[in-house]
Amino acid sequence: MQNSGSRGSPGLDMSTRAADGVIVAELAGELGVASAPVLREQFQGLLRPGSSRVVIDLSRVSSCDTSGLAVLIGAGRRARLLGGFVRLAAVSPEAARVLQRTGLHRHFPVFPTVRAAAAGAGVPQPGPAGEAVMGAAPGPGAAHPGPAAASWRPSAVA
C-alpha cells in the first residue's frame, strides 16, 4: 500500500493510496470551479493502463458544483476507456444533494464505504420509483446494473 497527498488547488486536497489493485482517492474541501483544472490533471496522471480502477472517497467534500462533477465524469470516462472503473464512496450530504439534483447518482456506482466500493459490494439498485438507492445491497436474484452505466454519455447531461 502506498500513500501520497497533494494539494489539489485552493480549497481542495487529494490524497491517494493503492491497495489490492484499486486506487483510493480521498477528496477533502471544495470540489468546484477553482479546483477543477488541477484535479482534472491529477486524475489524468492517476488513470493509466493497468491502473484504472479508482474509488473516490467524497466523505470530506464540503461543497460540489457542476465543474467538480465534470471532473468526476471525465475521470469515469477515462477509466472505462482504459478498462477500469470509477466508484464513489462515502458521499458527503453536500455532494449527494448535487449528484441527486443532476441525476448523476444514477450513473455512478455509489457505495456507503470505501471498503464496499473497493470490493464492489452493495451496488446501488433501482428503488420503487426507478431511483437508485445509494449504497443499497442487491437483493436475492437481483441483477448487477453492469453495462447500463457504461453506456451513459456525459453529453446527455449538458
Side-chain angles (χ1 to χ4, degrees):
M1 184 181 307
Q2 66 189 72
N3 287 311
S4 70
S6 63
R7 182 82 173 152
S9 67
L12 184 73
D13 292 318
M14 181 170 92
S15 62
T16 60
R17 67 183 187 277
D20 300 323
V22 176
I23 298 167
V24 177
E26 182 181 330
L27 304 181
E30 300 173 6
L31 179 57
V33 68
S35 60
V38 173
L39 187 60
R40 184 176 295 110
E41 286 180 31
Q42 288 178 323
F43 277 123
Q44 286 175 349
L46 195 63
L47 293 164
R48 56 190 182 280
S51 179
S52 58
R53 297 172 30 171
V54 178
V55 171
I56 302 175
D57 179 347
L58 297 176
S59 63
R60 296 179 53 210
V61 169
S62 59
S63 66
C64 181
D65 68 17
T66 56
S67 298
L69 292 179
V71 172
L72 298 180
I73 291 166
R77 177 187 287 168
R78 182 172 172 87
R80 283 190 305 275
L81 289 172
L82 294 168
F85 58 76
V86 167
R87 296 175 180 160
L88 306 181
V91 178
S92 71
E94 295 79 10
R97 276 192 291 276
V98 175
L99 287 168
Q100 288 182 340
R101 275 190 221 133
T102 60
L104 289 177
H105 67 287
R106 290 185 222 118
H107 302 289
F108 276 105
V110 179
F111 295 81
T113 65
V114 170
R115 176 175 276 171
V123 176
Q125 295 294 305
E131 294 290 315
V133 178
M134 296 174 71
H144 185 283
S151 66
W152 173 77
R153 298 288 181 254
S155 60
V157 175

